[in-house]
């Protein structure tokens, strides 16, 4: 019986993953008010790091205080942030060989909100919210406080913030960076003509709207060690007429590919509440499938990938090089174990758990 493709190695840049299962960055809204990780992150990331996946990506970490979605978002913009993350990573690495990456981002006009379990609404300044920023002074939805349009000086500061956070990631021994240009956050806001109404070199044409993403990629790539991958997560489409779409995504991907981007993670939506989409299994995989036809860098697929055979079909069929799971991993933190058992593969498990191997699966843990 042929070994399942899902459990074959994959190389991103020079980083070799043991298999093609990626744990997506998932916001926990559980940092302290200064953006520093807490004991929750030690528990959360610790148990995910025991799952047998090929890669763990730390949740979206803001490059500036105003770039947090909520006051409970993780940041990587201060010494306190860096020290807190170092403590968490030390605990995780003590018991897991899994590579750890980080997603760096800025929430733009979708910042200054409540945590989802509190309703997720935008916080007023009186409630402890803050002034948001965006390419243009266009609110995410009617009734919200408009963001402040970024000046050219603001854009230069944003680039510097990404660079500073990337340097902190390197000091922390982070093995991979994913730039967050999806889900309606700041870099996506620059890409989409629905949110970017600028008339300078960062707005208007596709070339201009892509400019900040390419400049930030170049700047981060320059300061993060060459042997460590730098990739990107994008939304393949806004799912709104006149917005960002797959054809524009392809042009962005080609430009990044030419610059040596290590991977592209293809998600979708999040920019505009008018989006119309049919959510179902594999609903975003077509974005990855198209990217595979257009670029040479590895492509990661996401979007309601919940079953082992489904994931195997995506990578075996060449629709993507890897799959990323988010909510599915929260629901079943041993999903890679169960996938390996179902597909007849082996997976890494900590020595403390080896005796849990079912007696009918003698090779599950190698």
């Amino acid at each position: 019986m042929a070994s399942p493709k899902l459990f074959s190695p994959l190389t991103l840049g020079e980083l070799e993953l043991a298999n093609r299962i990626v744990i997506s960055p998932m916001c926990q809204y559980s940092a302290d008010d200064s953006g520093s990780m807490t004991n929750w992150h030690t528990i959360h990331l610790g148990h995910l790091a025991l799952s047998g996946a090929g890669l763990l990506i730390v949740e979206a970490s803001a490059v500036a205080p105003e770039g947090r979605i909520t006051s409970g978002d993780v940041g990587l913009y201060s010494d306190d942030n860096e020290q807190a993350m170092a403590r968490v990573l030390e605990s995780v690495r003590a018991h897991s060989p899994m590579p750890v990456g980080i997603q760096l981002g800025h929430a733009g006009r979708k910042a200054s909100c409540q945590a989802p379990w509190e309703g997720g609404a935008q916080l007023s300044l009186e409630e402890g919210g803050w002034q948001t920023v965006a390419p243009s002074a266009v609110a995410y939805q009617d009734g919200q406080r408009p963001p402040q349009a970024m000046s050219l000086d603001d854009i230069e500061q944003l680039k510097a913030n990404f660079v500073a956070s990337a340097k902190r990631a390197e000091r922390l021994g982070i093995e991979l960076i994913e730039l967050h240009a999806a889900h309606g956050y700041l870099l996506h806001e620059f890409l989409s003509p629905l949110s970017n109404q600028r008339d300078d070199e960062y707005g208007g044409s596709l070339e201009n709207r892509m400019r900040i993403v390419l400049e930030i990629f170049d700047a981060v790539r320059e300061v993060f060690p060459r042997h460590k991958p730098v990739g990107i997560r994008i939304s393949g489409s806004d799912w709104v007429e006149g917005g960002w779409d797959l054809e524009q995504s392809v042009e962005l991907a080609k430009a990044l590919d030419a610059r040596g981007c290590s991977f592209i993670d293809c998600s979708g939506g999040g920019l505009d509440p008018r989006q119309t989409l049919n959510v179902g299994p594999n609903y975003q995989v077509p974005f990855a499938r198209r990217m595979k036809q257009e670029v040479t860098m590895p492509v990661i697929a996401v979007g309601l990938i919940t079953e082992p055979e489904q994931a195997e079909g995506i990578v075996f069929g060449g629709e993507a090089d890897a799959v990323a799971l988010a909510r599915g991993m929260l629901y079943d933190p041993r999903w890679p174990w169960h996938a390996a058992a179902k597909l007849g593969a082996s997976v890494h498990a900590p020595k403390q758990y080896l005796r849990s191997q079912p007696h009918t699966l003698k090779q599950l843990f190698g």
Side-chain angles (χ1 to χ4, degrees):
M1 180 178 176
S3 177
K5 183 81 168 178
L6 187 64
F7 286 90
S8 64
L10 173 66
T11 300
L12 302 178
E14 296 181 24
L15 177 65
E16 184 167 305
L17 312 184
N19 60 55
R20 295 163 185 257
I21 302 168
V22 175
I23 302 175
S24 275
M26 292 175 278
C27 290
Q28 297 296 293
Y29 312 105
S30 298
D32 67 22
D33 288 343
S34 69
S36 294
M37 285 186 165
T38 63
N39 288 340
W40 171 258
H41 295 93
T42 304
I43 297 170
H44 167 67
L45 294 172
H47 82 100
L48 291 179
L50 303 180
S51 68
L55 173 66
L56 170 62
I57 305 181
V58 172
E59 67 192 84
S61 300
V63 299
E66 72 276 7
R68 295 173 295 160
I69 306 166
T70 75
S71 60
D73 274 33
V74 168
L76 191 53
Y77 47 76
S78 73
D79 291 345
D80 286 346
N81 295 164
E82 186 177 337
Q83 290 161 11
M85 193 174 293
R87 290 191 292 271
V88 171
L89 292 175
E90 182 181 16
S91 295
V92 170
R93 289 169 175 149
H95 302 289
S96 172
M98 189 182 297
V100 177
I102 192 168
Q103 186 182 68
L104 297 180
H106 189 298
R109 67 182 186 177
K110 294 179 77 175
S112 186
C113 291
Q114 300 169 327
W117 52 81
E118 296 171 345
Q122 185 185 61
L123 290 168
S124 68
L125 300 180
E126 294 71 28
E127 294 172 313
W130 55 92
Q131 179 59 53
T132 60
V133 298
S136 305
V138 179
Y140 172 67
Q141 57 188 16
D142 292 342
Q144 287 191 340
R145 182 175 65 255
Q148 178 179 309
M150 294 176 69
S151 68
L152 292 178
D153 286 344
D154 293 334
I155 288 173
E156 290 304 310
Q157 183 60 55
L158 178 67
K159 295 179 205 172
N161 290 342
F162 268 95
V163 166
S165 293
K167 290 178 177 178
R168 292 185 186 277
E170 166 55 15
R171 288 199 294 269
L172 288 165
I174 296 286
E175 293 164 272
L176 169 151
I177 287 176
E178 179 177 87
L179 301 176
H180 198 356
H183 302 163
Y185 299 124
L186 185 57
L187 297 188
H188 185 181
E189 291 163 19
F190 271 93
L191 292 172
S192 176
L194 298 176
S195 47
N196 184 346
Q197 299 176 6
R198 302 175 71 94
D199 58 7
D200 62 7
E201 63 264 42
Y202 290 98
S205 68
L206 176 59
E207 179 184 6
N208 283 356
R209 285 182 281 116
M210 297 192 316
R211 189 182 308 279
I212 194 168
V213 175
L214 299 178
E215 288 179 347
I216 287 174
F217 173 81
D218 288 345
V220 169
R221 180 68 283 177
E222 184 175 346
V223 299
F224 201 57
R226 295 301 305 182
H227 69 280
K228 294 186 176 185
V230 177
I232 192 164
R233 188 176 183 116
I234 68 165
S235 282
S237 174
D238 291 340
W239 286 308
V240 178
E241 186 176 352
W244 183 253
D245 57 24
L246 181 54
E247 297 309 315
Q248 295 173 84
S249 294
V250 166
E251 292 307 308
L252 174 63
K254 287 179 176 178
L256 288 162
D257 206 30
R259 283 170 155 77
C261 190
S262 302
F263 64 91
I264 187 165
D265 191 344
C266 301
S267 189
L271 183 108
D272 193 302
R274 296 172 295 171
Q275 67 184 27
T276 56
L277 65 155
N278 295 314
V279 177
N282 287 14
Y283 74 106
Q284 295 183 128
V285 173
F287 297 146
R289 183 189 307 131
R290 176 67 184 279
M291 292 300 172
K292 281 290 292 176
Q293 299 168 3
E294 302 285 355
V295 298
T296 59
M297 62 179 150
V299 177
I300 302 173
V302 304
L304 278 182
I305 300 169
T306 58
E307 303 303 320
E309 298 90 345
Q310 177 190 10
E312 171 66 10
I314 291 167
V315 294
F316 182 80
E319 295 180 280
D321 298 287
V323 296
L325 283 77
R327 292 170 178 84
M329 286 295 301
L330 294 183
Y331 184 73
D332 179 7
R334 299 291 180 267
W335 192 92
W337 289 16
H338 302 145
K342 190 163 253 188
L343 298 174
S346 295
V347 68
H348 179 271
K351 57 183 182 292
Q352 294 90 340
Y353 290 179
L354 292 178
R355 61 184 172 172
S356 72
Q357 179 176 265
H359 72 276
T360 56
L361 299 169
K362 298 300 184 185
Q363 301 302 314
L364 179 59
F365 296 151

